[in-house]
Amino acid sequence: MKILTDRELAAALDRDIFHTISEAADSMGLECYVVGGYVRDLFLERPSSDIDIVVVGSGISLATELKRRLGRKARLSVFRNFGTAQVKWRELEVEFVGARRESYSHDSRKPAVEDGTLEDDQNRRDFTINAMAVCLNADRFGELVDPFYGIEDLEDGIIRTPLDPDITFSDDPLRMMRCVRFAAQLSFMIDDETFDALGRNAARIKIVSGERIKDELNKIMMTAAPSRGFVDLQRCGLLPLILPELAALDIVERRGERAHKNNFYHTLEVTDNVSRQGAGLWLRWAALMHDIGKTRCKRWDPQQGWTFHNHNFVGAKMVPQVFRRLALPLDAKMKYVQKLVDLHMRPIAIADDEVTDSAVRRLMNDAGDDIDDLMTLCEADITSKNEARKRLFLENFRTVREKLADLKEKDYKRLLQPCIDGNEIMRLFGLPPCREVGLLKQALKDAVLDNSVPNEREPLMRLLVEKAGEMGLVCKN
């Protein structure tokens, strides 16, 4: 982090957009400041294209004047109900709001708003590091206004609320999610008093929409180490309220000398592992959800110890429920996550046994275009502390990948569907859509996948007639 003097701040703001805002504000006799994340990121030397401007007066009026000065290439959007406006110019988005004070009712995070001073506006900010303001008026250009010592919290790596955290979080419970998200994004610690208030106010998250919670979760998910955010959510009591399926994994049960691992921390380790591989958002979600079925499938067997049979299947069934509750997309993205959760045990089962061409063909057929992501997830899932076993699995996974590459090269994907389909089976045997048609189709598909019969019409027809005969069916043609 770099400590900037007012002169250095002025130099950092030496851009056309800020000088134009300054001139417009001075011409209108308005006090104006750049605030929030843009100021914070100046000190952290992080790039930012979103600029928030607080005006002591009408933010809409200043935005309108800025648009006039920037000309036709600037786009102005006015939101009169909220007293805000936005100007888009080049790669920048500049948000304008009049300085205001806010008051909240207990059952809503939407405040009653009235005009206020800069001090009022800084008092309503969520965290000290987001409450700093830099004046843009010409006679004070670059002057830092930092009543809550946000600069010191930036230096110390601390997330802290400007005022009483109980009031801050009770007024707008979404700030609790933002608190955890900023700590995860910036690798900061949450101040003890602030963290304790998260726990005391966790139940208030119930008035926040799934849509808003989802946005913050996605931002946590895309940090370098998502585990940091999810551990904080669990510790403060928010996770059981927003993602109880994940929170429920945070348990270790013991019978005598035998205990299972903590699947919550295992899950977070897997999620961090895929994140280090540069995984996109939905592969990270698949990693986070890959073991959520374990709580429902956990059984004690005196011979085997703790078992979690079919947790992949049960977990895949739970995915739509979670996505619906959190307003996550119920489209191909959800299907992708569901598929990876369902299939994540398959490569491990292959790697734990002899890696056969037949097993790899089946895996490739079922995973389709997502096979590489599935392999990334499964490699990340090997978190055993037994280094010898871990090396064995990873070596076998390498063999699986080699076989996948070989099969792709030979264009097996094109050959994996038998050349005799269900419609032809129904026509040949005079059948309507029924269970027998499905069984015959599967028999042909298994034969192709096992490479026991070439995917050619004549040998497949012989097999079809044979299997149909065993079922008491006679070919009509």
Side-chain angles (χ1 to χ4, degrees):
M1 172 184 160
K2 185 176 182 181
I3 300 297
L4 301 172
T5 65
D6 286 357
R7 180 174 294 181
E8 288 170 327
L9 278 171
L13 296 173
D14 187 14
R15 301 175 60 180
D16 289 345
I17 189 68
F18 292 117
H19 289 299
T20 306
I21 294 171
S22 176
E23 292 164 4
D26 284 345
S27 73
M28 300 173 73
L30 296 172
E31 246 183 275
C32 77
Y33 302 82
V34 57
V35 299
Y38 192 89
V39 177
R40 177 196 69 226
D41 289 342
L42 280 179
F43 288 99
L44 294 176
E45 300 181 86
R46 292 174 37 163
S48 180
S49 59
D50 295 335
I51 302 170
D52 291 327
I53 304 293
V54 164
V55 182
V56 183
S58 172
I60 293 175
S61 297
L62 182 54
T64 304
E65 175 62 14
L66 176 65
K67 161 69 174 80
R68 188 188 69 78
R69 290 171 180 252
L70 293 175
R72 288 188 302 172
K73 290 187 177 180
R75 285 185 294 157
L76 171 67
S77 301
V78 175
F79 310 97
R80 295 198 180 276
N81 287 347
F82 301 97
T84 64
Q86 179 192 75
V87 175
K88 291 186 178 181
W89 183 65
R90 296 177 181 171
E91 78 287 358
L92 300 174
E93 292 186 3
V94 188
E95 302 276 352
F96 290 83
V97 63
R100 60 195 190 186
R101 64 167 61 95
E102 297 175 340
S103 57
Y104 290 81
S105 63
H106 188 73
D107 60 350
S108 173
R109 53 177 294 268
K110 296 179 180 178
V113 175
E114 56 184 303
D115 293 343
T117 63
L118 175 65
E119 180 182 3
D120 292 326
D121 203 88
Q122 289 178 297
N123 286 344
R124 73 179 182 84
R125 298 280 160 173
D126 50 8
F127 308 110
T128 59
I129 62 172
N130 294 335
M132 297 181 289
V134 178
C135 188
L136 294 181
N137 297 101
D139 59 344
R140 296 170 54 206
F141 194 86
E143 178 185 311
L144 177 66
V145 183
D146 183 20
F148 304 110
Y149 307 101
I151 193 70
E152 293 181 11
D153 287 342
L154 274 182
E155 283 189 278
D156 295 338
I158 295 292
I159 304 294
R160 182 169 58 87
T161 59
L163 303 177
D164 183 337
D166 283 306
I167 296 174
T168 297
F169 294 147
S170 180
D171 279 351
D172 184 354
L174 184 64
R175 290 169 176 163
M176 294 188 287
M177 295 294 300
R178 286 169 56 83
C179 178
V180 173
R181 187 252 294 181
F182 278 122
Q185 282 182 328
L186 302 175
S187 296
F188 280 18
M189 299 297 294
I190 302 174
D191 163 73
D192 287 345
E193 185 181 351
T194 301
F195 191 87
D196 291 344
L198 290 175
R200 289 192 295 270
N201 293 277
R204 291 281 289 154
I205 201 68
K206 293 175 182 176
I207 72 168
V208 180
S209 70
E211 184 82 25
R212 300 308 297 270
I213 291 171
K214 171 260 295 182
D215 290 343
E216 295 300 324
L217 284 176
N218 283 344
K219 289 173 183 176
I220 292 170
M221 195 76 85
M222 290 309 295
T223 60
S227 61
R228 185 184 188 110
F230 285 100
V231 167
D232 280 345
L233 289 173
Q234 178 74 337
R235 287 176 55 230
C236 73
L238 281 168
L239 195 65
L241 299 172
I242 59 178
L243 248 179
E245 300 85 353
L246 179 62
L249 296 175
D250 189 9
I251 187 173
V252 174
E253 288 196 55
R254 181 177 297 277
R255 292 285 180 93
E257 296 299 314
R258 302 173 80 172
H260 63 76
K261 65 187 173 187
N262 185 306
N263 287 302
F264 175 71
Y265 287 98
H266 161 74
T267 293
L268 297 187
E269 186 176 353
V270 175
T271 307
D272 282 355
N273 285 345
V274 299
S275 300
R276 279 192 289 271
Q277 297 298 315
L281 176 62
W282 303 110
L283 179 51
R284 295 180 190 217
W285 268 105
L288 193 74
M289 306 199 75
H290 80 282
D291 274 351
I292 58 171
K294 280 190 170 180
T295 305
R296 298 184 184 181
C297 296
K298 182 167 62 176
R299 300 289 184 273
W300 168 255
D301 182 287
Q303 278 70 47
Q304 300 180 61
W306 292 103
T307 66
F308 303 92
H309 297 312
N310 294 321
H311 75 272
N312 55 310
F313 174 76
V314 171
K317 292 288 188 183
M318 294 166 68
V319 167
Q321 303 164 21
V322 174
F323 269 52
R324 192 171 292 110
R325 188 177 68 245
L326 292 176
L328 288 159
L330 302 177
D331 55 12
K333 298 180 180 69
M334 184 198 73
K335 294 291 187 185
Y336 164 90
V337 172
Q338 198 172 21
K339 180 201 286 189
L340 265 58
V341 171
D342 187 24
L343 294 179
H344 81 271
M345 295 299 293
R346 287 274 294 280
I348 294 174
I350 294 172
D352 202 20
D353 203 347
E354 182 182 353
V355 182
T356 65
D357 283 356
S358 174
V360 174
R361 282 193 199 98
R362 291 173 180 277
L363 177 64
M364 186 167 69
N365 181 65
D366 292 342
D369 293 337
D370 301 317
I371 184 66
D372 289 334
D373 284 354
L374 177 62
M375 292 303 299
T376 298
L377 171 59
C378 291
E379 287 163 349
D381 198 15
I382 305 304
T383 62
S384 172
K385 300 301 181 275
N386 183 328
E387 289 301 322
R389 181 168 171 76
K390 189 173 182 178
R391 280 195 304 271
L392 176 63
F393 268 113
L394 293 177
E395 179 62 24
N396 282 357
F397 276 139
R398 186 184 62 79
T399 304
V400 172
R401 281 193 179 273
E402 288 174 355
K403 286 187 178 290
L404 284 167
D406 183 53
L407 292 175
K408 285 180 182 178
E409 187 177 341
K410 293 177 180 177
D411 198 23
Y412 266 88
K413 185 177 180 181
R414 178 177 58 84
L415 300 175
L416 287 176
Q417 292 299 326
C419 58
I420 299 175
D421 64 14
N423 289 327
E424 186 169 3
I425 292 172
M426 288 189 287
R427 189 176 70 253
L428 287 170
F429 295 95
L431 294 172
C434 60
R435 176 175 176 272
E436 286 76 9
V437 174
L439 290 172
L440 290 171
K441 279 178 60 179
Q442 191 62 48
L444 298 184
K445 188 172 186 177
D446 287 344
V448 171
L449 291 171
D450 290 338
N451 209 27
S452 60
V453 175
N455 193 7
E456 298 169 4
R457 183 171 184 78
E458 192 171 326
L460 279 178
M461 186 61 74
R462 286 197 296 269
L463 177 63
L464 176 62
V465 171
E466 177 187 337
K467 294 293 183 183
E470 293 172 2
M471 299 167 62
L473 299 174
V474 179
C475 182
K476 304 297 183 183
N477 298 327

